[in-house]
PDB file of all heavy atoms in Angstrom:
ATOM      1  N   SER A 442      25.013 -24.709   1.155  1.00  0.00           N
ATOM      2  CA  SER A 442      24.592 -25.736   0.203  1.00  0.00           C
ATOM      3  C   SER A 442      24.679 -25.259  -1.242  1.00  0.00           C
ATOM      4  O   SER A 442      23.912 -24.366  -1.645  1.00  0.00           O
ATOM      5  CB  SER A 442      23.160 -26.179   0.523  1.00  0.00           C
ATOM      6  OG  SER A 442      22.700 -27.090  -0.419  1.00  0.00           O
ATOM      7  N   TYR A 443      25.576 -25.851  -2.014  1.00  0.00           N
ATOM      8  CA  TYR A 443      25.627 -25.575  -3.434  1.00  0.00           C
ATOM      9  C   TYR A 443      24.418 -26.171  -4.137  1.00  0.00           C
ATOM     10  O   TYR A 443      23.940 -25.647  -5.133  1.00  0.00           O
ATOM     11  CB  TYR A 443      26.913 -26.125  -4.058  1.00  0.00           C
ATOM     12  CG  TYR A 443      28.080 -25.196  -3.875  1.00  0.00           C
ATOM     13  CD1 TYR A 443      28.943 -25.319  -2.799  1.00  0.00           C
ATOM     14  CD2 TYR A 443      28.325 -24.192  -4.795  1.00  0.00           C
ATOM     15  CE1 TYR A 443      30.004 -24.444  -2.630  1.00  0.00           C
ATOM     16  CE2 TYR A 443      29.392 -23.314  -4.647  1.00  0.00           C
ATOM     17  CZ  TYR A 443      30.239 -23.458  -3.555  1.00  0.00           C
ATOM     18  OH  TYR A 443      31.282 -22.591  -3.408  1.00  0.00           O
ATOM     19  N   THR A 444      23.896 -27.280  -3.625  1.00  0.00           N
ATOM     20  CA  THR A 444      22.691 -27.900  -4.192  1.00  0.00           C
ATOM     21  C   THR A 444      21.517 -26.899  -4.130  1.00  0.00           C
ATOM     22  O   THR A 444      20.796 -26.718  -5.089  1.00  0.00           O
ATOM     23  CB  THR A 444      22.313 -29.184  -3.430  1.00  0.00           C
ATOM     24  OG1 THR A 444      23.430 -30.065  -3.476  1.00  0.00           O
ATOM     25  CG2 THR A 444      21.105 -29.841  -4.026  1.00  0.00           C
ATOM     26  N   ALA A 445      21.335 -26.263  -2.970  1.00  0.00           N
ATOM     27  CA  ALA A 445      20.252 -25.299  -2.804  1.00  0.00           C
ATOM     28  C   ALA A 445      20.489 -24.098  -3.733  1.00  0.00           C
ATOM     29  O   ALA A 445      19.549 -23.563  -4.316  1.00  0.00           O
ATOM     30  CB  ALA A 445      20.195 -24.840  -1.366  1.00  0.00           C
ATOM     31  N   TYR A 446      21.726 -23.672  -3.869  1.00  0.00           N
ATOM     32  CA  TYR A 446      22.055 -22.540  -4.736  1.00  0.00           C
ATOM     33  C   TYR A 446      21.633 -22.816  -6.179  1.00  0.00           C
ATOM     34  O   TYR A 446      20.940 -21.996  -6.803  1.00  0.00           O
ATOM     35  CB  TYR A 446      23.556 -22.286  -4.659  1.00  0.00           C
ATOM     36  CG  TYR A 446      24.053 -21.214  -5.605  1.00  0.00           C
ATOM     37  CD1 TYR A 446      23.850 -19.874  -5.358  1.00  0.00           C
ATOM     38  CD2 TYR A 446      24.736 -21.575  -6.764  1.00  0.00           C
ATOM     39  CE1 TYR A 446      24.286 -18.917  -6.209  1.00  0.00           C
ATOM     40  CE2 TYR A 446      25.223 -20.616  -7.621  1.00  0.00           C
ATOM     41  CZ  TYR A 446      24.983 -19.279  -7.337  1.00  0.00           C
ATOM     42  OH  TYR A 446      25.430 -18.309  -8.207  1.00  0.00           O
ATOM     43  N   TYR A 447      22.004 -23.976  -6.707  1.00  0.00           N
ATOM     44  CA  TYR A 447      21.653 -24.294  -8.096  1.00  0.00           C
ATOM     45  C   TYR A 447      20.171 -24.597  -8.242  1.00  0.00           C
ATOM     46  O   TYR A 447      19.566 -24.315  -9.281  1.00  0.00           O
ATOM     47  CB  TYR A 447      22.529 -25.427  -8.631  1.00  0.00           C
ATOM     48  CG  TYR A 447      23.947 -24.976  -8.812  1.00  0.00           C
ATOM     49  CD1 TYR A 447      24.977 -25.501  -8.049  1.00  0.00           C
ATOM     50  CD2 TYR A 447      24.265 -23.988  -9.732  1.00  0.00           C
ATOM     51  CE1 TYR A 447      26.289 -25.049  -8.197  1.00  0.00           C
ATOM     52  CE2 TYR A 447      25.557 -23.521  -9.891  1.00  0.00           C
ATOM     53  CZ  TYR A 447      26.558 -24.059  -9.127  1.00  0.00           C
ATOM     54  OH  TYR A 447      27.843 -23.606  -9.274  1.00  0.00           O
ATOM     55  N   PHE A 448      19.547 -25.167  -7.227  1.00  0.00           N
ATOM     56  CA  PHE A 448      18.107 -25.391  -7.255  1.00  0.00           C
ATOM     57  C   PHE A 448      17.381 -24.047  -7.325  1.00  0.00           C
ATOM     58  O   PHE A 448      16.392 -23.911  -8.054  1.00  0.00           O
ATOM     59  CB  PHE A 448      17.649 -26.174  -6.021  1.00  0.00           C
ATOM     60  CG  PHE A 448      16.187 -26.420  -5.998  1.00  0.00           C
ATOM     61  CD1 PHE A 448      15.600 -27.366  -6.798  1.00  0.00           C
ATOM     62  CD2 PHE A 448      15.375 -25.659  -5.164  1.00  0.00           C
ATOM     63  CE1 PHE A 448      14.240 -27.576  -6.790  1.00  0.00           C
ATOM     64  CE2 PHE A 448      14.004 -25.852  -5.128  1.00  0.00           C
ATOM     65  CZ  PHE A 448      13.430 -26.830  -5.943  1.00  0.00           C
ATOM     66  N   CYS A 449      17.841 -23.057  -6.591  1.00  0.00           N
ATOM     67  CA  CYS A 449      17.224 -21.723  -6.631  1.00  0.00           C
ATOM     68  C   CYS A 449      17.378 -21.096  -8.008  1.00  0.00           C
ATOM     69  O   CYS A 449      16.468 -20.417  -8.509  1.00  0.00           O
ATOM     70  CB  CYS A 449      17.829 -20.810  -5.579  1.00  0.00           C
ATOM     71  SG  CYS A 449      17.289 -21.214  -3.910  1.00  0.00           S
ATOM     72  N   MET A 565      20.219 -28.626   2.575  1.00  0.00           N
ATOM     73  CA  MET A 565      18.962 -29.094   1.936  1.00  0.00           C
ATOM     74  C   MET A 565      18.524 -30.397   2.556  1.00  0.00           C
ATOM     75  O   MET A 565      17.416 -30.867   2.275  1.00  0.00           O
ATOM     76  CB  MET A 565      19.163 -29.301   0.437  1.00  0.00           C
ATOM     77  CG  MET A 565      19.316 -28.052  -0.368  1.00  0.00           C
ATOM     78  SD  MET A 565      17.761 -27.282  -0.757  1.00  0.00           S
ATOM     79  CE  MET A 565      17.081 -28.396  -1.963  1.00  0.00           C
ATOM     80  N   MET A 566      19.324 -31.033   3.374  1.00  0.00           N
ATOM     81  CA  MET A 566      19.021 -32.383   3.847  1.00  0.00           C
ATOM     82  C   MET A 566      18.675 -32.437   5.325  1.00  0.00           C
ATOM     83  O   MET A 566      17.773 -33.147   5.715  1.00  0.00           O
ATOM     84  CB  MET A 566      20.220 -33.321   3.576  1.00  0.00           C
ATOM     85  CG  MET A 566      20.638 -33.354   2.140  1.00  0.00           C
ATOM     86  SD  MET A 566      19.295 -33.840   1.079  1.00  0.00           S
ATOM     87  CE  MET A 566      19.999 -33.560  -0.510  1.00  0.00           C
TER      88      MET A 566
END
Side-chain angles (χ1 to χ4, degrees):
S442 175
Y443 277 93
T444 303
Y446 174 76
Y447 290 114
F448 179 76
C449 286
M565 288 279 288
M566 304 303 172

